[in-house]
Amino acid sequence: MSSPEAFPYALIRAGVVMTPEPGNPLEVEGVLNPASGRGPNGELYLLPRLVADGNVSRVGLARVVVEDGVPTSVEREAVVLEPEREWEKGANNSGVEDPRVTFIPALGLHVMTYVAFGPLGPRTAVATSTNLREWRRLGPVTFEYDDDLGVDLGLYHNKDTVFFPEPVIAPDGTPSLAVLHRPVWELGEVRPGEGNRPPATVAESRPSIWIAFVPLEAALTDQRELARWRQNRFLAGPEYPFEELKIGAGPAPIRVPEGWLLLHHGVTGVIVNSMAQQQNVNYGAGAMILDGDQPWRVLDRTSAPLLAAETEDERSGIVPNVVFPTAIEEVEGQTFVFYGMADSKIGVARLERNIRSEE
């Protein structure tokens, strides 16, 4: 595996693009962790997580302002998703959080995965759109049962989910849409006393990145199949010091000459309760190269972060010391990554070829 100096890609900070709007009650606890996409007119939009008082999240829509080829700010346009369904609301909590949006040309749809913070805690849900403004909820994700795993994946909290942008051939040989997810095995947070209950067949008990598949034909026939994930398997777990507690997927993987480039986050520190806002953690952005034909195979990964919490905006906020990449877009021939800063603001970094890796 590669040090950041030897890895073929690097992240270079390019600024802050969105901060909470003074006086806006929907943003008093931060704007963060955006999805992104191109609207019907080709304009670039962010879909930021807007956090109101009490940690209640909504998904907004904001047009990205570009100056001299660099995203510099946004113009707010709408709130496009709110916690309105019963499975998005608990007795003392609610929220639609941390959206990831992938445009899948094979479907002609933007596909959003998001966290529904409902009665049993954070669960993944799926929605689709043709224009980024109106979203059709497909409901919470269900997982095909696999007796080799011996567990019901639907029991566990799940976050950090995102679809690949183009079909792949699944392990069973079927043209499929691949999706990444991150189950958390601590059932004690769902039902006190149950404890940490990972599958007996999986050696890694810490929260790790998994991959699942949806047959393309099924998704073309019925959009609702996008919320039924099959052939679930372990992809990658924590390996390096910056990933000591857990890892999770970032933006949709992108095609690169080496295969698929996946940005991810690694976490160190102390987590008190995964459903609470943390104060003693440190999130950094790493990366992996996945096999282009078999994306469940990791070919290379960074042994340290490409981007760590170092600036004041990344170190001070609702949850300090957080760099959390969630969106990736090409702007005027350059690739930019949008990321959450200390759960309070949204930053942008340029993704560049790492010249040092080629020396």
Side-chain angles (χ1 to χ4, degrees), residues 100-336:
R100 311 286 211 280
V101 171
T102 306
F103 182 69
I104 302 178
L107 301 178
L109 291 171
H110 299 278
V111 179
M112 178 195 291
T113 52
Y114 67 97
V115 177
F117 191 23
L120 298 180
R123 304 297 173 100
T124 289
V126 180
T128 60
S129 177
T130 58
N131 59 14
L132 298 178
R133 294 177 182 275
E134 289 86 29
W135 290 89
R136 175 190 175 188
R137 285 175 171 85
L138 305 183
V141 168
T142 60
F143 299 88
E144 181 181 67
Y145 177 70
D146 180 352
D147 201 41
D148 289 337
L149 287 178
V151 298
D152 175 6
L153 287 172
L155 293 176
Y156 301 94
H157 291 164
N158 207 307
K159 303 178 75 171
D160 300 319
T161 63
V162 64
F163 275 87
F164 284 62
E166 63 186 63
V168 301
I169 302 301
D172 69 352
T174 305
S176 298
L177 300 171
V179 59
L180 302 174
H181 61 103
R182 207 278 305 281
V184 176
W185 308 121
E186 183 52 67
L187 282 178
E189 294 184 354
V190 180
R191 187 182 183 192
E194 289 295 328
N196 199 44
R197 301 276 293 277
T201 54
V202 177
E204 180 56 75
S205 62
R206 292 172 294 180
S208 302
I209 300 173
W210 282 54
I211 189 168
F213 301 88
V214 176
L216 178 60
E217 183 177 356
L220 288 169
T221 301
D222 186 347
Q223 284 187 37
R224 293 174 296 180
E225 292 293 322
L226 291 167
R228 183 170 176 250
W229 296 357
R230 291 88 152 170
Q231 300 183 66
N232 295 273
R233 59 169 59 196
F234 176 90
L235 174 67
E239 287 191 13
Y240 297 103
F242 82 102
E243 305 165 332
E244 179 184 5
L245 294 181
K246 58 183 178 179
I247 63 173
I254 61 171
R255 279 283 190 180
V256 292
E258 298 84 0
W260 291 100
L261 174 63
L262 169 65
L263 299 178
H264 72 284
H265 62 265
V267 186
T268 60
V270 178
I271 294 178
V272 178
N273 180 307
S274 68
M275 288 190 285
Q277 290 179 328
Q278 307 300 313
Q279 296 299 307
N280 299 298
V281 292
N282 195 309
Y283 281 70
M288 301 180 189
I289 300 293
L290 308 181
D291 186 273
D293 297 321
Q294 298 179 326
W296 54 92
R297 295 180 55 235
V298 178
L299 303 181
D300 195 6
R301 64 191 288 182
T302 54
S303 58
L306 294 180
L307 202 66
E310 296 173 348
T311 70
E312 182 62 23
D313 290 316
E314 296 161 353
R315 294 183 60 85
S316 300
I318 299 296
V319 178
N321 302 312
V322 173
V323 167
F324 196 85
T326 52
I328 189 165
E329 293 286 346
E330 184 174 312
V331 178
E332 298 184 16
Q334 297 190 81
T335 302
F336 289 91

Side-chain angles (χ1 to χ4, degrees), residues 18 31-39 44-50 58-64 74 78-81 96-102 110 112-113 129 131-135 326-327 329 338 346:
M18 189 172 185
V31 293
L32 56 148
N33 305 355
S36 65
R38 295 275 177 181
L44 177 60
Y45 290 91
L46 292 185
L47 292 94
R49 174 180 169 185
L50 315 175
R58 297 167 175 83
V59 177
L61 184 71
R63 187 178 65 84
V64 177
V74 299
V79 172
V80 297
L81 204 68
V96 289
E97 304 178 350
D98 295 351
R100 311 286 211 280
V101 171
T102 306
H110 299 278
M112 178 195 291
T113 52
S129 177
N131 59 14
L132 298 178
R133 294 177 182 275
E134 289 86 29
W135 290 89
T326 52
E329 293 286 346
F338 299 89
I346 296 172

